[in-house]
Structures are given as structure tokens and as C-alpha cells.
């Protein structure tokens, strides 16, 4: 019989560059007890908030019946709904079944000869490219804490002359953040680049001041014809299962794409979420759980930094990249955490651009964070 370790490692290798979900893992290894999912990067308080609305407005009222029985609105209706809230004309908003679909649409249709992707990264940005697109990697340096050296990056881009560049802000898997002023400098230095993709899937966890206010590039898009924004709702709103995302695209693209598909790519519950997303009462409550989660995450990260045998890289997202310096490998640590302690973390051995033993750990609720820290300390240093 295979051990739990063997079954887990086999599953992980079958999942390619993404991690198997908890449901998948438990389906294959039902004897495993998962206490904390620190692999997936979501705000658990936002999930609770959404659930409380869903229960009160859909389940308790029986409204859920209508949502499941009938067709949801078509994508352009949702774009119209989002327009005022997002502050962008509806003909530039591309509503998608998860942000991954917006990425796919851009990469398949508008990226041409060459794309520059900063590594380590979210793998889909290079995996989804067409065969005739060359992928060029720009390496974020471990010695530089994976932060982007802007002058060096600009020099690199100008020498390579790609048609597309990608900046994930904050970046996944390291949480590195490009400040708003720096991002503007990058954009203004590269008017010749056809597509500047800015992925703001984690922007709600980043902040620029002590009030924890965030600074999105979206209000500045009018000034730049070449900036494309990708936004996932999965992590910050804690609703990955609903598959909600959108892209903000240059004029003309959305019409092009939706006359050729993407008509009903939102399900009824996703539509319900987007209707909440633009509501004042929901937003006020969301801001409270957003800031609460950031505050707790900052404490979590500072506590992790005190653990021996690991190096915690600076992050302005809800997760941290951790290098294991005690001599154990990332696979050993991730497997032991899961099997012995029920703590699921992202083993980063498959991430290109990472040299060393790395795991990525997400902040969870306060109680879960304590379990994560204690388990990591014990596993790494045993
Ligand atoms: C998770 C993630 C996405 C995709 O999110 P979905 O909305 O769940 O498809 C896109 N970009 C980055 C950087 C991510 O981490």
C-alpha cells in the first residue's frame, strides 16, 4: 500500500504548475486530515461576508431557486453594471469566468511575437502563449529580495523590444510590490510597448499608507492607451469557487471578443457576486474585513520572520515566500506539514526562476496562523 506521502507527491506531480485543490487531495487521500489550507491565497473573512449575504438574500428568501433555474445576464449587462463602480466605460470591461479567462483571451488574441514575463511568476502568463510567441524571462533576483529593479528592467525591455510585458502587482509567488509612482514611471517610459499587462489580482492586500488604502492603476487608465488590467476576485473576495474576474482592455477589444464567444461565461451566483460588488453596503463591510485581514497578515508575517531556519521574503500581499535554510528540502517540509500537521502550503519546486528550497504560505485567520507558525517551526527545525 502507498503511504500518504507517496499519494500526495503523486497527486502534486499530476497537477502540473498548479496545486491540487483540497477536494482533489481528500478524494484520493481520505485518511488525510487537513487543518489549515495555507496554499490557496484568500481572505477568509471576505468569504464569510459573502456567505452571510448569500444566506440572507438568496437562501433564506428562496431567491436561490430563480438563480439556479434561469439563465444569468449576459456578460455585457454585467459590464454595464460594473462601469460606474470601476470607473471605466462599459465597452472596455471584459467580464470573465475567473481572471484566467481574461488572461487567456489577451494572450491568445493580442500578444504577438514576444512577451516578457518576470520570474518567478503565475505560470499561466507563459504557459498560455501561442506557439508563434517567444517568451523572454526577466529574472527577479533573490539577492534583491525579488523586488523589481526598475532601471535595469527598463533597459532590458528596451533592448528586447517585445510587444507585450506583464507586471503582476503585488507579484505571485513572492508578494513583491511596485509602488504606484514607480509603476507610472515604468508605463510612461514604455509608450512603444503595445500591451502592458498589469495583473491586480492581489491589489486589495497591498497598501500605500498607514490607513491601508490601496492604489490601483485603474483610475489612471484614460492616460494610457496600452495598459491592460487583469483582475481576479478569487483571492481578495475569497470566492475562487464562483469564478469571477474581469479585464479592462483597450477600446475595441471587448466588442471583438464578445461577438466571437464569451456570451454567457458568468454563472448565476457569479452574477449575484458582481451585483454585491457594486453595492455600497457590501463595500463598506468589505473594507472592514479587508483591513482586518491585512493587519492580521502583517502580524503573521512578522511572527514568521522570528522562526529559525527560514528566510521570509518581504511581501505586500497576503502570503509570503519562504526559503528553507535549515537544510531540509521544500518537498520534505511541504509534505511533512501536510501529513503530520494537516497544514497545506505551496511547495514551489516547480516555479521557474526560484533557485533554492522555497514554499509559499498564505495568511489565514488568527487561530489558523498560530497553527501554521508552530507547525513550520517544528517541521523546519526537527
Ligand atoms: C489566481 C491568479 C489569477 C487567476 O485567478 P482566477 O480569477 O481564479 O482565474 C490571475 N492572476 C494571478 C496573479 C493569480 O494569482
Amino acid at each position: 500500500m502507498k503511504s500518504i506521502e507517496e499519494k500526495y507527491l503523486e497527486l502534486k506531480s499530476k497537477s502540473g504548475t498548479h496545486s491540487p485543490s483540497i477536494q482533489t487531495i481528500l478524494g484520493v487521500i481520505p485518511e488525510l486530515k487537513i487543518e489549515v489550507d495555507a496554499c490557496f491565497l484568500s481572505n477568509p473573512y471576505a468569504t464569510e461576508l459573502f456567505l452571510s449575504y448569500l444566506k440572507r438574500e438568496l437562501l433564506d428568501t428562496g431567491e436561490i431557486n430563480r438563480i439556479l433555474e434561469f439563465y444569468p445576464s449576459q456578460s455585457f449587462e454585467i459590464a454595464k453594471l460594473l462601469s460606474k463602480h470601476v470607473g471605466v466605460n462599459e465597452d472596455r470591461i471584459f467580464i470573465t469566468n475567473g481572471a484566467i479567462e481574461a488572461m487567456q483571451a489577451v494572450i491568445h488574441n493580442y500578444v504577438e511575437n514576444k512577451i516578457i514575463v518576470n520570474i518567478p511568476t503565475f505560470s499561466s502568463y507563459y504557459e498560455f502563449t501561442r506557439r508563434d510567441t517567444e517568451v523572454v524571462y526577466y529574472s527577479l533576483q533573490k539577492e534583491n529580495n525579488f523586488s523589481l529593479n526598475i532601471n535595469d528592467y527598463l533597459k532590458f525591455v528596451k533592448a528586447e523590444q517585445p510587444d507585450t510585458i506583464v507586471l503582476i502587482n503585488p507579484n505571485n509567488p513572492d508578494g513583491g510590490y511596485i509602488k504606484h509612482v514607480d509603476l507610472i514611471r515604468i508605463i510612461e517610459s514604455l509608450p512603444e510597448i503595445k500591451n502592458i499587462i498589469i495583473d491586480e489580482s492581489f491589489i486589495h492586500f497591498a497598501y500605500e499608507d498607514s490607513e491601508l488604502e490601496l492604489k490601483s492603476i485603474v483610475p489612471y487608465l484614460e492616460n494610457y492607451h496600452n495598459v491592460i488590467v487583469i483582475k481576479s476576485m478569487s483571492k481578495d473576495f475569497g470566492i475562487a469557487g464562483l469564478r469571477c474576474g474581469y479585464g479592462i482592455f483597450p477600446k475595441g477589444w471587448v466588442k471583438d471578443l464578445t461577438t466571437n464567444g464569451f456570451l454567457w461565461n458568468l454563472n448565476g451566483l457569479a452574477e449575484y457576486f458582481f451585483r454585491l460588488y457594486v453595492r455600497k453596503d457590501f463595500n463598506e463591510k468589505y473594507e472592514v474585513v479587508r483591513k482586518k485581514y491585512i493587519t492580521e497578515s502583517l502580524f503573521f508575517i512578522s511572527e514568521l520572520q522570528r522562526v529559525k531556519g527560514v528566510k521570509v521574503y518581504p511581501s505586500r500581499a497576503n502570503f509570503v515566500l519562504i526559503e528553507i535554510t535549515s537544510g531540509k528540502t521544500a518537498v520534505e517540509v511541504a509534505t511533512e506539514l501536510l501529513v503530520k500537521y494537516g497544514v497545506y502550503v505551496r511547495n514551489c519546486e516547480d516555479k521557474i526562476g526560484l533557485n533554492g528550497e522555497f514554499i509559499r504560505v498564505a495568511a489565514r485567520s488568527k487561530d489558523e496562523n498560530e497553527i501554521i507558525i508552530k507547525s513550520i517551526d517544528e517541521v523546519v527545525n526537527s
Side-chain angles (χ1 to χ4, degrees), residues 98-100 103 122 168 172 199 201-202 232 234-235 243-244:
I100 204 118
M103 292 166 53
F122 184 67
I168 305 176
N172 179 3
D199 184 324
S201 294
F202 295 96
S232 168
S234 295
K235 314 337 186 326
R243 312 305 301 126
C244 294

Side-chain angles (χ1 to χ4, degrees), residues 14-31:
K14 275 191 202 146
S15 302
T17 45
H18 297 277
S19 304
S21 72
I22 292 273
Q23 287 96 313
T24 309
I25 295 180
L26 290 178
V28 179
I29 323 173
E31 65 273 34

